[in-house]
Amino acid sequence: MPARIAALLALVATAACGSARTSPEPLPVEAGLPAAPGEYGGAVDVLHYDVELSLGAPEIQGRATLTVRPNGAAELPLDFTGMGIGAVLADGRPAGYDYARGKLTVTLPRGQGDADTDVVVEYFGTPDDGFVIRDNVHGDPVAFADNWPNRARFWLPSVDHPTDKATVSLTVHAPPEWQVIGNGALVGRPAPAAADALGGGEGRNTWRWASEVPQPTYTMVVGAADFAVESLGRAACGNAPVSPDPDGCIDVSFWAYPEDVAFARQVFDRAPEMVDFFTRTIGPYPFAKLANVQSATRFGGMENASAIFYSERAIAASRLGEGTVAHEVSHQWFGDSVTGADWTQLWLSEGFATYFGALFFEAADGLDDFRERMERSRQSYLRSGVTARPIVPADPPENLFDLLNVNNYSKGAWVLHMLRGVVGDETFFEGMRAYYERHAYGTVLTNDLRQAFEDVSGRPLDWFFDQWVFQPGYPVLESEWEMSGDGSEVVLTVRQTQSADWPTFRLPLQVRVVPGGAAGDAQDETIELTEREQMFRISVPREPANVRIDPDGWVLKG
Ligand SMILES: [Zn+2]
């Protein structure tokens, strides 16, 4: 342990003894458990989290002020676990509470009606999960929140479920050698902490970040380290409604450890270009800035709203890829702004980020690059052990981390690619913009996506989403062809030979009739499969050299 951390620990411990510690640190609940039926979606609504944290020691101190709309509820059930509690207040008065089994249930004042209530929780302890306090890959002390999927509860008393999005402001007191990143816009400049700051002000700086648009708790973070911070440029100019900057653009930056600046410059170089591409393709940039942060997250990349956290090891070893950067940047729209209302809807975040990440490279680097990425996704799905399960399971898995599988990523990306193939480019991108505009800052189910595309295309699409999202598997196609007796037609037979447990797919399918030698252009026809075996007759001027099924790769098939 570095000496200055030990000294700070002693300081913090002394300061903490002065405040009441009514509930010592209990054992934490397990991470990643799915919600119990009816656990979320009750009347009470958290509107805002105002979080104050004291960092710089293994133990943190926190004060969370939640602005809550009771909607008639008598109590506020918060997720919180493994931390000690100093005080709980409601509208400035000590409030009754029960703290057990991962829930801090606060009694709300009576007779409030619909008036908003401020609930304050003062707490302390060493988070058991969801907040990493340790030395980084270079041996220097760092502190990072790492919440996905429901690990904010280990350091932040919260309704830790994506149904209840809220705005957040963060005040962090940290050692002066640390830079502190958080969600939203920097408020003022970092300044020496007040003498009575939480955890003691001496020898620390206070940083403030605030976001005025709602986000899910799994993206509410702070990160603190000795960072080198560099701006990569301006982006989303004129299309960044919550940017605080007078030029109407956002700042795109990286926050990297000093040892890794050269690689960070390289791998994040096109991040502003990515922001501009997604802004044009999807809609206005939803947040106040975009920081790309080297961090202690357990994931390769974590799309925290306006402050993406990347694996410190991937950056230190120069193996973070631009594909991950494009994926995480597109999550700002899909995942952070438009959020799945339930964890089983994860493909609405990960499938979208996988596909839109690839779309950036289609636009920037060309069709071959895009097709290689999609082919890698296809192969990873076909080789996986999850093809017998649908993307959206009927029930959540026993552990939410099990959702991080290629159904949500690779197959999800292919569902969007196939949707594009079915409705065509123009309708696809119009549908995406409509879906985004309708649900920005909100929560969605797969049916909301279907509805948006049905509205824009004027076609029923329940069959499409049902077979690809709610049913398992993929089609395995076999085809053969011969000439008709009079030589005027290709007679094409196509069979779906996938498992009988999987659906018989309805597949609009491109067929390319390739003439022999120098006998003119290929002839493209569209057929629609609806049966396990079907025959199609295609008029041709002469016998072709070849007949190819889905030549441009629009269908996920084995
Ligand atoms: Zn992702």
Side-chain angles (χ1 to χ4, degrees):
M1 180 185 293
R4 69 169 177 273
I5 290 291
L8 273 167
L9 175 60
L11 178 74
V12 167
T14 308
C17 288
S19 65
R21 296 195 157 204
T22 54
S23 303
E25 286 187 62
L27 287 174
V29 295
E30 195 182 326
L33 296 177
E39 185 175 352
Y40 298 100
V44 63
D45 182 12
V46 180
L47 305 177
H48 181 71
Y49 294 90
D50 182 18
V51 186
E52 184 176 1
L53 287 178
S54 159
L55 300 182
E59 179 169 286
I60 68 172
Q61 290 188 62
R63 180 186 292 125
T65 303
L66 283 62
T67 307
V68 173
R69 184 155 299 166
N71 290 321
E75 50 188 30
L76 170 66
L78 296 172
D79 296 296
F80 197 46
T81 190
M83 298 287 279
I85 290 180
V88 179
L89 310 173
D91 284 341
R93 295 197 188 87
Y97 66 90
D98 179 61
Y99 184 36
R101 295 174 299 282
K103 289 284 183 191
L104 170 63
T105 304
V106 181
T107 305
L108 294 172
R110 288 173 169 277
Q112 285 286 101
D114 282 345
D116 295 348
T117 301
D118 277 349
V119 172
V120 177
V121 181
E122 294 180 356
Y123 55 99
F124 58 89
T126 302
D128 298 279
D129 200 341
F131 205 101
V132 184
I133 300 171
R134 61 162 164 78
D135 286 353
N136 71 8
V137 65
H138 301 297
D140 297 316
V142 297
F144 289 98
D146 191 32
N147 300 349
W148 196 95
N150 56 2
R151 293 180 296 138
R153 65 191 60 191
F154 290 96
W155 65 274
L156 176 63
S158 53
V159 176
D160 194 13
H161 191 269
T163 43
D164 193 353
K165 297 172 79 169
T167 52
V168 62
S169 49
L170 301 150
T171 300
V172 179
H173 313 295
E177 60 273 25
W178 276 356
Q179 320 284 313
V180 178
I181 185 74
N183 306 109
L186 187 63
V187 180
R189 301 293 310 162
D196 61 350
L198 189 67
E202 194 177 340
R204 281 129 55 86
N205 284 339
T206 298
W207 294 69
R208 295 181 204 278
W209 293 92
S211 180
E212 62 185 74
V213 287
Q215 65 187 71
T217 51
Y218 74 87
T219 69
M220 293 180 182
V221 291
V222 298
D226 174 12
F227 287 118
V229 181
E230 286 189 17
S231 177
L232 295 153
R234 314 293 292 166
C237 294
N239 225 338
V242 300
S243 167
D245 302 344
D247 66 353
C249 311
I250 61 153
D251 183 51
V252 182
S253 62
F254 72 75
W255 296 51
Y257 305 149
E259 295 87 342
D260 302 316
V261 163
F263 178 72
R265 275 188 197 126
Q266 186 187 319
V267 74
F268 296 123
D269 178 55
R270 291 205 284 180
E273 198 184 320
M274 293 170 187
V275 170
D276 282 336
F277 171 73
F278 296 130
T279 300
R280 281 196 308 274
T281 309
I282 305 166
Y285 182 75
F287 302 110
K289 55 106 180 31
L290 181 64
N292 295 277
V293 184
Q294 187 174 12
S295 80
T297 178
R298 68 163 68 176
F299 306 108
M302 179 57 219
E303 65 270 20
N304 304 309
S306 80
I308 300 167
F309 284 9
Y310 298 89
S311 157
E312 58 177 24
R313 290 185 180 280
I315 292 176
S318 301
R319 60 178 164 74
L320 180 70
E322 263 195 316
T324 302
V325 179
H327 175 109
E328 303 303 335
V329 172
S330 71
H331 264 311
Q332 302 300 308
W333 287 261
F334 296 120
D336 295 356
S337 175
V338 175
T339 306
D342 185 81
W343 290 114
T344 59
Q345 307 283 321
L346 187 63
W347 85 279
L348 296 173
S349 173
E350 297 303 349
F352 274 66
T354 303
Y355 192 59
F356 277 80
L359 285 177
F360 168 76
F361 294 98
E362 180 182 0
D365 296 346
L367 194 55
D368 288 349
D369 186 291
F370 169 77
R371 284 190 174 155
E372 274 171 38
R373 288 170 195 275
M374 292 306 291
E375 178 59 14
R376 283 202 294 274
S377 278
R378 189 179 78 94
Q379 293 292 346
S380 71
Y381 170 68
L382 295 184
R383 289 197 204 108
S384 76
V386 296
T387 55
R389 289 190 253 152
I391 292 180
V392 174
D395 297 304
E398 285 179 18
N399 190 297
L400 296 174
F401 286 97
D402 292 345
L403 290 167
L404 297 177
N405 65 59
V406 292
N407 270 330
N408 283 310
Y409 288 77
S410 304
K411 189 180 182 186
W414 267 94
V415 170
L416 296 181
H417 188 56
M418 291 188 285
L419 181 60
R420 180 181 169 191
V422 166
V423 301
D425 263 32
E426 195 179 325
T427 303
F428 177 76
F429 289 106
E430 190 187 338
M432 275 301 163
R433 284 189 290 272
Y435 167 71
Y436 180 77
E437 187 180 2
R438 210 178 271 187
H439 299 290
Y441 306 115
T443 56
V444 284
L445 299 171
T446 300
N447 276 343
D448 296 309
L449 179 67
R450 176 184 58 78
Q451 189 65 57
F453 272 85
E454 288 185 342
D455 292 348
V456 168
S457 70
R459 297 161 59 174
L461 290 166
D462 49 346
W463 61 272
F464 176 88
F465 288 99
D466 183 59
Q467 70 183 8
W468 286 115
V469 178
F470 298 103
Q471 305 243 27
Y474 54 91
V476 179
L477 300 185
E478 288 175 4
S479 66
E480 57 193 31
W481 64 275
E482 58 184 8
M483 293 304 292
S484 60
D486 66 358
S488 68
E489 289 175 321
V490 164
V491 181
L492 172 69
T493 303
V494 186
R495 292 184 196 88
Q496 299 192 37
T497 63
Q498 67 272 16
S499 158
D501 296 337
W502 293 354
T504 299
F505 286 85
R506 175 175 166 187
L507 296 176
L509 203 61
Q510 207 179 8
V511 176
R512 182 159 297 158
V513 181
V514 183
D521 292 338
Q523 173 185 345
D524 280 357
E525 303 285 340
T526 301
I527 60 175
E528 183 159 299
L529 299 190
T530 53
E531 311 287 340
R532 287 273 164 167
E533 177 170 336
Q534 267 171 289
M535 189 182 287
F536 302 90
R537 306 180 82 89
I538 300 168
S539 294
V540 291
R542 64 190 68 81
E543 180 167 348
N546 199 359
V547 177
R548 294 172 60 197
I549 300 289
D550 189 29
D552 295 332
W554 283 104
V555 174
L556 174 61
K557 59 189 183 303

